Amino acid sequence: MSYEDLKHMPKVELHCHLELAFRKATLRGWALEKGMAVAREEDFDREFLIKEPMDDLPTVLHKFLNTRDVIDTEAKVEQLTFEACEDMFLLSNVRILELRYAPSFLLDAHLSMDADRMLEAILRGMARAEAAYPMVVGLIGLLQRIKSVKDNAFWCDWILERKAHFVGMDLADDEVSYPASPFAPLFQKAKAQGLGITVHAGEPAVPGAAKNILVALDELGADRIGHGVQAIHDAEVVARLVKDGVPLELCPWSNVLTRAVPDLKSHPFKRLMDAGVKTTVNTDDHGVMDISLIQECQNLTTHLGVSMEDLHQCNQWAREASFIADDRIQAVWTT
Ligand SMILES: [Zn+2]
């Protein structure tokens, strides 16, 4: 298949962290304004990008903090949001895009920022992209499991009070040291109020990680699983995903960089799909990980024998699994 064929295919991206979905040239400009020594591109790459497999997930998370320091005003958040959407459309022909962000993540580093002003800035960026391109964008509020239940209860309520602006809620960060169960009541509450639920689970290559997927489904009421790549090591989990038709938001290149899988060739994307799991293709952090959705698709076709028909199927599953209202989707999705 040709690059043009791949480009032409309308795509869905369900798993994209807004804070790390920057355009490189823009972030480098902001870093220079703050006096950081990133005049040479290789200096910027070294300070901000993850281009090779890191030693472990906490190391990767630590590197994300460099980016957080630079995104320090609501105006930058609006530009970040618009460019994240624009790049998804222009580079990869993404028509349905769900962005996720943790209200607490940027606020923790920048006392001058305000949660409502930041949300308004994100919504402005999304609206500008929707006006400029044939795409729809939905917003997912993200809770950080490294924070207390009390802190997350605050943000859960904050999101629910503004639920007209959100399509879903997510739980992220280190799933090894911070189990999901304590946050179950928050997710049940959000689900009861109509938000879609997705949970990062089964991501790192540690024994038993696949079981976290069952916790996400049974206790948090997850409609979709973020990553879930370790399911391949647990037949019971795969059987459950197939039986209930639970989509996995797979992010293959991210899995390589965080060493969730040894390399692209051994990624279980195709094996999970062949087993009957609803697999979807996503970038996770396209800025910091220097990847686009079309490159993710190319990696799958090059290294794993995924076909155009397979990718069409994955996009169809992703479209069906999107938390964005169907009437909005139909306006931009014709296949
Ligand atoms: Zn993620």
Side-chain angles (χ1 to χ4, degrees), residues 143 145 169-172 178-192 195-201 211-225 240:
L143 303 188
R145 63 213 304 163
M169 201 165 86
D170 177 28
L171 183 67
Y178 300 88
S181 295
F183 306 103
L186 306 183
F187 282 81
Q188 292 295 346
K189 187 174 177 181
K191 192 178 180 76
L195 288 189
I197 303 298
T198 179
V199 174
H200 281 69
K211 295 294 186 206
N212 290 344
I213 295 170
L214 299 181
V215 174
L217 295 173
D218 293 332
E219 298 182 32
L220 279 72
D223 302 296
R224 309 189 316 229
I225 297 296
R240 174 71 185 279

Side-chain angles (χ1 to χ4, degrees), residues 117-133:
R117 287 202 308 268
M118 185 164 67
L119 174 60
E120 288 160 15
I122 293 170
L123 295 172
R124 279 197 302 275
M126 289 165 51
R128 280 170 52 200
E130 288 180 323
Y133 304 109

Side-chain angles (χ1 to χ4, degrees), residues 15-17 100 142 170 172 200 203 226-227 251 254 284-285:
H15 191 124
C16 175
H17 294 264
R100 58 189 70 195
L142 186 151
D170 177 28
H200 281 69
E203 179 184 6
H227 294 285
C251 311
S254 167
D284 208 7
D285 309 305

Side-chain angles (χ1 to χ4, degrees), residues 30-304:
W30 293 341
L32 283 168
E33 282 170 21
K34 287 181 82 75
M36 298 180 74
V38 291
R40 295 184 312 168
E41 195 167 347
E42 60 259 41
D43 293 330
F44 174 78
D45 289 2
R46 192 189 59 246
E47 293 299 318
F48 286 90
L49 303 188
I50 302 166
K51 296 180 89 108
E52 290 172 0
M54 307 282 289
D55 288 333
D56 52 65
L57 195 57
T59 310
V60 176
L61 295 174
H62 180 75
K63 192 144 184 167
F64 295 166
L65 301 182
N66 288 345
T67 300
R68 175 166 78 168
D69 289 343
V70 173
I71 305 169
D72 58 0
T73 67
E74 283 87 2
K76 288 179 183 172
V77 169
E78 179 180 338
Q79 187 177 344
L80 170 82
T81 307
F82 175 74
E83 290 179 354
C85 300
E86 183 174 59
D87 288 349
M88 280 281 180
F89 177 78
L90 293 180
L91 298 177
S92 305
N93 195 18
V94 169
R95 302 303 185 97
I96 301 168
L97 171 62
E98 294 186 15
L99 296 173
R100 58 189 70 195
Y101 86 111
S104 50
F105 183 72
L106 290 175
L107 291 176
D108 281 352
H110 306 295
L111 294 176
S112 62
M113 291 174 80
D114 168 82
D116 277 296
R117 287 202 308 268
M118 185 164 67
L119 174 60
E120 288 160 15
I122 293 170
L123 295 172
R124 279 197 302 275
M126 289 165 51
R128 280 170 52 200
E130 288 180 323
Y133 304 109
M135 67 191 308
V136 285
V137 190
L139 190 60
I140 295 172
L142 186 151
L143 303 188
Q144 297 185 267
R145 63 213 304 163
I146 56 173
K147 291 179 168 291
S148 69
V149 172
K150 186 163 170 270
D151 281 353
N152 278 308
F154 171 84
W155 287 112
C156 176
D157 287 340
W158 186 88
I159 290 165
L160 291 176
E161 284 160 16
R162 294 153 184 79
K163 67 181 179 186
H165 301 304
F166 290 90
V167 297
M169 201 165 86
D170 177 28
L171 183 67
D173 293 341
D174 180 2
E175 69 180 275
V176 177
S177 308
Y178 300 88
S181 295
F183 306 103
L186 306 183
F187 282 81
Q188 292 295 346
K189 187 174 177 181
K191 192 178 180 76
Q193 294 200 28
L195 288 189
I197 303 298
T198 179
V199 174
H200 281 69
E203 179 184 6
V206 297
K211 295 294 186 206
N212 290 344
I213 295 170
L214 299 181
V215 174
L217 295 173
D218 293 332
E219 298 182 32
L220 279 72
D223 302 296
R224 309 189 316 229
I225 297 296
H227 294 285
V229 63
Q230 304 303 337
I232 196 68
H233 301 299
D234 192 318
E236 179 199 354
V237 175
V238 169
R240 174 71 185 279
L241 294 171
V242 172
K243 179 171 84 66
D244 289 353
V246 179
L248 295 186
E249 302 160 1
L250 291 166
C251 311
W253 185 237
S254 167
N255 293 155
V256 173
L257 292 179
T258 63
R259 295 190 191 274
V261 299
D263 51 39
L264 277 174
K265 279 191 167 54
S266 38
H267 196 284
F269 190 100
K270 182 79 167 113
R271 281 179 283 152
L272 287 163
M273 190 176 184
D274 289 345
V277 177
K278 290 182 176 176
T279 48
T280 70
V281 194
N282 306 277
T283 58
D284 208 7
D285 309 305
H286 70 242
V288 74
M289 292 178 170
D290 201 19
I291 186 93
S292 66
L293 189 59
I294 195 165
Q295 288 172 318
E296 295 273 8
C297 292
Q298 280 185 304
N299 280 340
L300 293 179
T301 60
T302 304
H303 297 287
L304 292 172

